[in-house]
Amino acid sequence: MKNRSTPDHHKTLEETMSATIIAIDDSVEVLLSIGATLEQDYDIRVATSGKEGLPLVAELHPDLILLDIMMPDMDGFEICRRLQQDETLKDIPIIFLTSLNRQEDEVRCFEVGGVDFVTKPFSPIVLRSRVTTQVRLKQQADLLRFQATRDGLTGLFNRREFNFQLDRDWRACQRAKKQLSILMIDIDHFKLYNDTYGHLEGDRCLQSVATAIRNQLKRGRDRVARYGGEEFVCLLPETNVQAAQHVAEEIRAAVQALAIPHTASIIADTVSISVGGACEDHFIDQTSAKLLKKADDSLYQAKEQGRNRVVFL
Ligand SMILES: [Mg+2]
């Protein structure tokens, strides 16, 4: 089984497109017939109560939940209410399983936030059609969410997503009294590169550099985004100056090791980068914007001092 515990923004496109369904019903018989109906097309997980099902949902982040209403202990509406209180789970679509002749339940399914309902005993064709429709809608929404956070050319996070992550990591590090480091990275003489080799080669160069940077970020929390044209930015939570300098130097060396020819460069025969770093460690009277500015000033210094180097102010 694939590891599905990673947060959404870590999922690859392929993982985003495969579908897991969790069915919660106190009747084993119902669960068996759901399994028989859907297991050929989906990864089906089952639970016989909310107590069992809620942790499973939190762990697997399924694409769809089939939820019985009438259950002892915790009913389907209560399970739905709890899921909607969780920011990371509230967008998972829920199809309620209702018993015939409970029409008031059907109205309530939509009121509490369900996307559809299926009456029991269900016809396999009806269940399969409704599931297919909802899974497709969920996957389209996932794809749009994924694309909204990414830079189209390099596949790295885009600037909008970086700003969001910076804000989140800033507050987390401040709370935990940990350091937060930022690296601003710029490809040296990139305009000359484009002028010499053309924009198509320029795009390939950006992709190679992006991959080289990403490969140097070994910890799960570290992030890299495309900040602008040939500018990248790394977010290194819980990282002190020494560690950040080390990462920066490794990134610089990794780009140099790509050995992409750049005959027009004034400082080297191959593509190189300049890196400006900044580290926040006390957070008092500081803002994330000031930290970003400091990293940018460091980058400016790296350029001033001759490029293809790392500078921390
Ligand atoms: Mg039941």
Side-chain angles (χ1 to χ4, degrees):
M1 198 201 106
K2 279 192 288 278
N3 176 14
R4 296 194 151 271
S5 61
T6 46
D8 268 343
H9 58 270
H10 270 167
K11 278 187 184 174
T12 64
L13 210 50
E14 194 190 316
E15 280 175 318
T16 306
M17 297 315 288
S18 62
T20 300
I21 296 172
I22 293 179
I24 307 174
D25 197 305
D26 62 323
S27 158
V28 173
E29 200 183 321
V30 169
L31 292 175
L32 283 172
S33 67
I34 288 173
T37 307
L38 301 173
E39 70 188 355
Q40 283 207 313
D41 302 311
Y42 303 100
D43 182 11
I44 307 288
R45 305 308 174 92
V46 298
T48 53
S49 66
K51 199 178 161 206
E52 203 185 301
L54 283 169
L56 199 61
V57 171
E59 185 199 342
L60 298 178
H61 284 248
D63 298 285
L64 181 69
I65 298 168
L66 294 172
L67 187 54
D68 184 25
I69 296 173
M70 304 270 276
M71 286 185 284
D73 302 332
M74 198 191 300
D75 72 9
F77 295 131
E78 173 61 17
I79 293 172
C80 181
R81 197 186 62 79
R82 294 198 188 189
L83 290 172
Q84 295 200 327
Q85 283 174 344
D86 188 324
E87 196 59 35
T88 65
L89 305 177
K90 69 177 178 52
D91 291 326
I92 301 170
I94 294 171
I95 295 180
F96 282 104
L97 304 169
T98 70
S99 298
L100 278 176
N101 68 43
R102 295 268 304 173
Q103 209 174 11
E104 70 274 21
D105 281 349
E106 296 177 358
V107 176
R108 205 166 157 216
C109 288
F110 294 105
E111 285 174 353
V112 299
V115 294
D116 203 354
F117 65 85
V118 172
T119 48
K120 293 186 287 189
F122 59 81
S123 120
I125 299 167
V126 169
L127 180 67
R128 211 179 289 129
S129 315
R130 295 199 155 157
V131 164
T132 304
T133 301
Q134 294 304 332
V135 166
R136 192 183 298 136
L137 288 172
K138 163 69 161 52
Q139 291 186 330
Q140 282 167 354
D142 283 351
L143 183 60
L144 288 176
R145 258 196 297 271
F146 180 89
Q147 288 170 338
T149 62
R150 294 304 200 280
D151 167 56
L153 179 70
T154 61
L156 299 183
F157 291 115
N158 58 26
R159 185 166 176 164
R160 186 169 145 269
E161 179 64 13
F162 167 78
N163 287 332
F164 167 77
Q165 291 170 354
L166 171 60
D167 188 47
R168 186 195 55 198
D169 288 349
W170 176 272
R171 282 184 278 118
C173 287
Q174 187 171 30
R175 256 198 318 273
K177 297 187 166 49
K178 303 276 188 179
Q179 288 142 320
L180 174 66
S181 292
I182 288 180
L183 307 177
M184 290 288 280
I185 300 169
D186 192 80
I187 302 178
D188 297 323
H189 297 302
F190 188 68
K191 189 183 176 306
L192 289 176
Y193 187 90
N194 270 334
D195 291 348
T196 309
Y197 299 96
H199 283 93
L200 213 62
E201 279 303 312
D203 283 352
R204 286 202 191 105
C205 174
L206 287 168
Q207 288 168 329
S208 301
V209 170
T211 304
I213 297 171
R214 186 165 45 193
N215 288 344
Q216 292 308 312
L217 300 181
K218 311 257 162 56
R219 301 181 320 164
R221 275 191 302 264
D222 297 343
R223 299 271 184 277
V224 54
R226 186 174 178 202
Y227 198 66
E230 70 267 27
E231 266 198 320
F232 302 92
V233 59
C234 296
L235 205 48
L236 311 173
E238 301 187 18
T239 307
N240 63 25
V241 182
Q242 288 77 22
Q245 278 172 328
H246 181 72
V247 173
E249 184 50 46
E250 285 193 326
I251 290 173
R252 193 205 59 75
V255 171
Q256 191 153 43
L258 292 173
I260 302 168
H262 189 351
T263 52
S265 175
I266 293 151
I267 49 155
D269 302 331
T270 57
V271 168
S272 62
I273 56 170
S274 298
V275 186
C279 177
E280 185 59 56
D281 54 8
H282 59 89
F283 296 94
I284 297 157
D285 296 328
Q286 291 300 317
T287 62
S288 58
K290 281 191 203 168
L291 181 62
L292 204 54
K293 171 76 166 61
K294 195 173 167 190
D296 205 37
D297 290 344
S298 299
L299 176 60
Y300 181 79
Q301 279 301 316
K303 296 271 179 197
E304 283 291 291
Q305 292 173 24
R307 295 181 168 87
N308 191 17
R309 71 193 61 219
V310 174
V311 170
F312 269 70
L313 290 178

